Amino acid sequence: MSAMSRERAELVKIEEKREEERSDEEEENYGEAMREFSSSTSRRKPEPPRLQIIPKVPEVVDDFLRNFLHRHGLRRTLSSFEAEWYGSAQRLQTESLRMTSTGVSFIPDALTHKQVLLSELQEVHREAALLREEVLATGESLVRMERERDFHQLQYRRIQEEKKQLMEDFKKLKKHLESYEPALKQLDDKYQTALRHKMLISLEKERVKNTMNLEKSRIKKDRSIKSSDKPKDKSTITKPPKKTEFPDPHLAQVSFQTCKSSFSLSSSIRAHDLPISCIDLHPRKQILATASDDQKWRLWALPVDGEKVGQMVLTGDGHSDWLSGCCFHPDGAKLATTSGDATVRLWDFSRGSCVLNLSGHTQPTWSCSFHSCGHVLASCSADRTIKLWDMKRGHCQLTLRRHTASVNSVCFLPFSDLLLSCSADKSLAMWDARPGVCVATFQGHQYPCNHVAFSLAGNITASCDSGGIVNLWDIRKLSTAVATVDAGPSANQVAFNPQGRILATACSDTRVILVDMNSLGVSGLMGHSDDVQSVTFDHKGETLISAGSDGMVNVWS
């Protein structure tokens, strides 16, 4: 019995060792099958449940039976079970391979199918959670969009109501304006009648004055004829009073008397349909440049030898807004213009087009002036700056800043680097154009300054303001104005004749005021039907040219 027990113990040890090896191998096979299954499920996209093909199924039931038989000592049953089990397992494997090759899927057992279903259920839960989050986010965005829709609908209704109210107010204002049109027409008729009456009165006064002057001259002539018969006594001879070269500074407080002008209207030119803002005369020829609100500039040959009408030589169009000023180049072959489009343009007459467009100002440009050498152009603007442009390179070489309001006019002193500017801040400034330094300022105007001009005959300069005051300055004295002349309701531009003896002022009361620089006598020229905007003299000083808002150019000689 002891030998049989030892033999049985050895057989049991052998069987246990074999079972351990078999269980290790089965665990490896089971782990590998689970890893393949998990990798296949992770790579698989969500799809409807279907039967899974599992090549290896964990063998759990046979281990249970084998252990059960071994614990109860049923060796023969165990050996017969193993022989029959391994034969059936090999047969099942062969059949599974055959069914796989023929396209028949393998049906897994309940445990494996449960694990597959659990993994699919987890995937479905995860996708359901994602969908739930997306649905919640979509619901929030839908609620937000509905609120925005309601807000915009309210705004739209409010704007529609405001539009309707504005339309009603506009119709009421239009009817109200139409009700005023008869009264405005009546007032305009009265104004025209009064203006004609005023002109008739002024003409009658001029006629009476001329008659009285002729009568006085006749009486003087008769007296001189009578006195010529008497012997002359040296003691009775008196010398004529010596003319003063320039008025005394104290004359600024004197009320000047009106004197008769020596200029008379010789011809008129219909230059533009809209107001003319500026005129300038050619440096050497009798050619006049005009700049107008119709965005065009034109060159006119002035009438000579008794002609009544001037001829248009050239016209230019390129600015996108009204023109405010023009200035001939010293060589006479080019013209610079300023405009409300904040640009300065240079026009070449030989090409008949714009050759340079200078843009740098941020607001409308008012005036421009060439240096006597022609290589520098100064321009002023409503942006409170003065820019010096290099004509050769076509760019701004210097910007001058000092004025606190719109700079309305600039003017170079002839054959000098001095530049004079006037501004709406009621002051004048003198600049040295080389370093761009302000060397002097002139204070004295009570209203915005509109224009400034130099006299070619000396150191005198004149400036005018919107209150109709014309100040005469000595550039060597920086204290106060030398003299002051009241030219009317508003003075737009001033100009000296080449000899410096007469100062012409363009006024807003349709007159051209002439000031005698020796006696400061004032005379007026009537010929425009609207504001006079610009004046200039010819090269000899014998002809005066004026232009105004009526689009007319009048030539006085």
Side-chain angles (χ1 to χ4, degrees):
M1 291 297 293
S2 61
M4 291 178 64
S5 61
R6 283 195 300 270
E7 183 179 359
R8 182 178 297 176
E10 290 176 359
L11 290 173
V12 169
K13 290 180 180 180
I14 293 171
E15 288 295 329
E16 288 177 354
K17 186 176 181 181
R18 186 182 301 170
E19 287 175 359
E20 289 175 359
E21 291 176 355
R22 189 182 299 110
S23 62
D24 293 337
E25 183 179 0
E26 289 174 352
E27 288 177 359
E28 289 178 0
N29 294 335
Y30 178 79
E32 185 177 358
M34 292 301 296
R35 283 194 298 272
E36 289 180 359
F37 174 77
S38 61
S39 61
S40 63
T41 55
S42 62
R43 289 193 301 267
R44 188 182 69 254
K45 296 182 180 179
E47 58 182 9
R50 59 188 180 87
L51 295 177
Q52 302 293 328
I53 300 174
I54 302 176
K56 295 182 180 180
V57 180
E59 297 176 348
V60 179
V61 178
D62 60 337
D63 291 338
F64 172 76
L65 294 175
R66 190 179 291 108
N67 292 328
F68 177 79
L69 295 174
H70 178 69
R71 281 195 302 271
H72 290 81
L74 302 175
R75 300 301 180 187
R76 287 181 295 173
T77 306
L78 178 60
S79 59
S80 61
F81 169 75
E82 287 179 351
E84 188 176 358
W85 173 260
Y86 284 117
S88 63
Q90 187 175 4
R91 186 175 64 256
L92 289 173
Q93 185 175 2
T94 305
E95 291 179 357
S96 64
L97 291 176
R98 180 174 55 80
M99 284 190 279
T100 303
S101 60
T102 56
V104 180
S105 61
F106 180 76
I107 300 175
D109 61 348
L111 179 60
T112 306
H113 190 61
K114 179 182 178 181
Q115 292 177 353
V116 173
L117 293 177
L118 287 176
S119 62
E120 291 180 354
L121 183 61
Q122 292 177 358
E123 184 68 20
V124 169
H125 284 311
R126 187 178 65 81
E127 292 179 358
L130 293 176
L131 289 174
R132 189 181 297 106
E133 294 177 358
E134 292 179 359
V135 169
L136 292 175
T138 305
E140 293 177 356
S141 63
L142 179 61
V143 172
R144 185 170 60 254
M145 291 177 67
E146 289 178 350
R147 291 177 181 175
E148 292 179 357
R149 180 201 62 191
D150 297 338
F151 173 76
H152 289 301
Q153 286 179 350
L154 291 174
Q155 293 293 326
Y156 176 75
R157 294 193 190 99
R158 184 180 61 81
I159 291 173
Q160 288 293 328
E161 292 176 358
E162 291 180 356
K163 181 181 178 181
K164 185 177 179 181
Q165 184 65 30
L166 289 174
M167 291 298 294
E168 292 177 357
D169 295 341
F170 176 75
K171 291 179 181 178
K172 291 180 181 179
L173 290 174
K174 190 174 180 180
K175 292 181 181 178
H176 190 62
L177 180 62
E178 290 176 353
S179 65
Y180 276 106
E181 284 184 357
L184 291 175
K185 186 177 181 181
Q186 185 179 1
L187 290 174
D188 187 60
D189 294 339
K190 290 182 179 180
Y191 170 75
Q192 295 295 335
T193 304
L195 184 62
R196 286 194 295 270
H197 184 65
K198 182 179 178 182
M199 291 181 66
L200 290 174
I201 292 175
S202 62
L203 290 174
E204 185 66 22
K205 286 182 179 179
E206 290 289 339
R207 188 182 64 79
V208 172
K209 192 179 295 184
N210 292 337
T211 304
M212 293 177 64
N213 290 334
L214 289 173
E215 186 67 22
K216 288 180 181 179
S217 63
R218 187 180 63 79
I219 294 173
K220 288 182 180 179
K221 186 176 180 180
D222 294 341
R223 288 179 180 178
S224 62
I225 292 173
K226 291 180 181 179
S227 61
S228 61
D229 297 335
K230 298 179 181 180
K232 295 181 179 180
D233 188 6
K234 292 184 179 180
S235 61
T236 61
I237 299 175
T238 58
K239 295 182 180 180
K242 186 178 179 181
K243 294 182 179 181
T244 57
E245 295 182 356
F246 198 75
D248 190 85
H250 299 288
L251 291 176
Q253 306 298 328
V254 178
S255 59
F256 306 111
Q257 296 181 355
T258 303
C259 60
K260 185 177 181 300
S261 173
S262 60
F263 287 90
S264 61
L265 182 62
S266 61
S267 62
S268 297
I269 304 172
R270 167 59 69 178
H272 297 270
D273 295 331
L274 294 182
I276 300 174
S277 57
C278 183
I279 58 175
D280 192 36
L281 191 65
H282 193 277
R284 291 177 298 276
K285 300 179 181 180
Q286 290 292 97
I287 296 178
L288 184 73
T290 60
S292 172
D293 288 355
D294 59 7
Q295 306 177 10
K296 297 178 182 179
W297 59 266
R298 291 172 179 173
L299 298 183
W300 299 87
L302 295 178
V304 293
D305 299 333
E307 294 180 359
K308 295 297 182 180
V309 180
Q311 295 180 355
M312 187 175 68
V313 179
L314 191 64
T315 183
D317 184 4
H319 283 283
S320 60
D321 211 334
W322 41 263
L323 269 66
S324 56
C326 59
C327 180
F328 274 103
H329 193 276
D331 62 6
K334 302 178 186 67
L335 180 73
T337 56
T338 56
S339 170
D341 59 10
T343 64
V344 181
R345 291 177 181 253
L346 184 67
W347 308 84
D348 192 338
F349 301 145
S350 60
R351 299 181 183 179
S353 61
C354 177
V355 295
L356 195 58
N357 186 3
L358 305 174
S359 58
H361 289 288
T362 58
Q363 294 188 27
T365 51
W366 294 120
S367 173
C368 59
S369 176
F370 276 103
H371 190 273
S372 56
C373 63
H375 66 273
V376 175
L377 176 68
S379 65
C380 61
S381 169
D383 61 6
R384 308 178 184 179
T385 64
I386 303 167
K387 289 187 179 293
L388 301 179
W389 304 91
D390 188 346
M391 291 290 98
K392 293 182 179 179
R393 299 181 180 178
H395 66 83
C396 177
Q397 65 180 18
L398 201 59
T399 300
L400 310 180
R401 293 182 175 88
R402 183 179 181 85
H403 291 289
T404 58
S406 171
V407 186
N408 296 329
S409 176
V410 287
C411 179
F412 269 108
L413 180 66
F415 311 105
S416 172
D417 291 326
L418 293 179
L419 178 69
L420 196 63
S421 63
C422 69
S423 169
D425 61 6
K426 309 174 186 178
S427 68
L428 283 74
M430 185 181 294
W431 309 80
D432 189 344
R434 291 171 298 177
V437 178
C438 180
V439 296
T441 56
F442 302 88
Q443 302 285 345
H445 282 283
Q446 301 299 321
Y447 300 93
C449 297
N450 290 331
H451 193 258
V452 64
F454 277 113
S455 172
L456 297 177
N459 297 316
I460 302 302
T461 183
S463 61
C464 61
D465 59 27
S466 59
I469 302 299
V470 178
N471 284 344
L472 302 176
W473 311 82
D474 189 343
I475 61 175
R476 297 168 297 182
K477 300 177 183 180
L478 307 180
S479 57
T480 57
V482 176
T484 300
V485 179
D486 189 354
S490 178
N492 298 320
Q493 197 179 78
V494 291
F496 286 97
N497 71 336
Q499 294 78 22
R501 298 175 183 175
I502 301 176
L503 176 67
T505 305
C507 300
S508 296
D509 58 356
T510 72
R511 295 186 303 163
V512 178
I513 300 298
L514 300 179
V515 180
D516 188 349
M517 298 300 294
N518 291 328
S519 63
L520 291 182
V522 178
S523 61
L525 301 177
M526 298 288 295
H528 288 278
S529 61
D530 207 340
D531 299 353
V532 184
Q533 299 292 343
S534 183
V535 290
T536 187
F537 285 91
D538 69 343
H539 308 101
K540 296 181 180 180
E542 300 175 353
T543 302
L544 173 66
I545 308 154
S546 62
S549 299
D550 54 3
M552 300 294 294
V553 174
N554 287 346
V555 182
W556 313 81
S557 54

